[in-house]
Amino acid sequence: PCLLTALTLCVLSQSHLIAGNRNSSLSWEWDPSGYIFFCLCMGRMGNQAAHFLGGLALAKGINRTLVLPPWNDGQLVQFDDWFNVSVIAEYHRVITARDFMQHLAPTYWPEKERVGSCFQFPNSQLSCSMDESDHAFWFWRGQGIKFARVEPYYLAFDTTSQDGRDEWA
């Protein structure tokens, strides 16, 4: 089964698309290195841009394909409606959320196996639920994603060190 980590951040282990955009002639292949699919659900454009760049750096640092999330402009705007996916794909492997959900999720990430993860400090008494934040809830539902269960995680985001990368293995 795949693991989806949400930061609402999502990491799908056992998954990776080699390339992806809706104009691509490549076949949709599941890459065993993994995916990162995260929620751009907090803040305005500047905050979302910072979150996106951090997600892109994390995906590259731990060698996982980045699922390009929609942007929140009061409504969800598909990534490739605003940005050129092929330029980002020159830097690292990416696939749009739309293509991921349409071409890969039905086969490789069935609803009953969708595990969401949310960042939580060790021994925290806070609950870990994707439904507690209206922003996160509507983001995931807008992608057609409902998690079978949600689990907390506590991992470093420092992918510049081998120890930081090893935590994500």
Side-chain angles (χ1 to χ4, degrees):
C2 298
L3 170 67
L4 178 70
T5 308
L7 159 95
T8 283
L9 162 76
C10 305
V11 176
L12 298 167
S13 55
Q14 187 187 42
S15 17
H16 246 49
L17 181 70
I18 304 308
N21 72 51
R22 62 181 162 188
N23 300 319
S24 174
S25 62
L26 298 175
S27 63
W28 300 105
E29 297 179 29
W30 194 250
D31 182 337
S33 297
Y35 289 92
I36 290 185
F37 191 169
F38 66 96
C39 175
L40 277 182
C41 52
M42 300 299 185
R44 296 183 193 165
M45 184 72 159
N47 288 20
Q48 291 177 59
H51 293 168
F52 167 72
L53 292 172
L56 182 59
L58 177 63
K60 186 170 180 79
I62 62 173
N63 192 33
R64 295 211 171 120
T65 294
L66 178 63
V67 178
L68 297 169
W71 290 64
N72 184 352
D73 186 30
Q75 61 184 357
L76 296 179
V77 178
Q78 292 300 316
F79 194 93
D80 56 349
D81 288 347
W82 281 0
F83 304 100
N84 186 336
V85 172
S86 62
V87 171
I88 298 166
E90 290 176 19
Y91 177 73
H92 189 65
R93 295 180 312 274
V94 296
I95 181 173
T96 64
R98 175 193 307 117
D99 287 340
F100 178 82
M101 292 306 295
Q102 180 181 354
H103 298 288
L104 296 176
T107 301
Y108 299 102
W109 196 40
E111 285 189 31
K112 66 181 187 263
E113 295 180 17
R114 293 181 185 168
V115 179
S117 298
C118 55
F119 178 84
Q120 195 168 19
F121 288 106
N123 303 316
S124 173
Q125 299 305 310
L126 299 174
S127 66
C128 178
S129 171
M130 298 300 174
D131 294 338
E132 287 182 7
S133 165
D134 288 338
H135 297 292
F137 175 82
W138 290 111
F139 177 88
W140 295 118
R141 288 305 191 283
Q143 306 315 298
I145 297 170
K146 184 173 182 182
F147 298 107
R149 70 179 191 278
V150 179
E151 300 174 347
Y153 75 93
Y154 180 67
L155 292 172
F157 293 102
D158 177 12
T159 60
T160 60
S161 73
Q162 187 62 47
D163 289 341
R165 287 188 298 276
D166 290 346
E167 286 187 65
W168 288 93

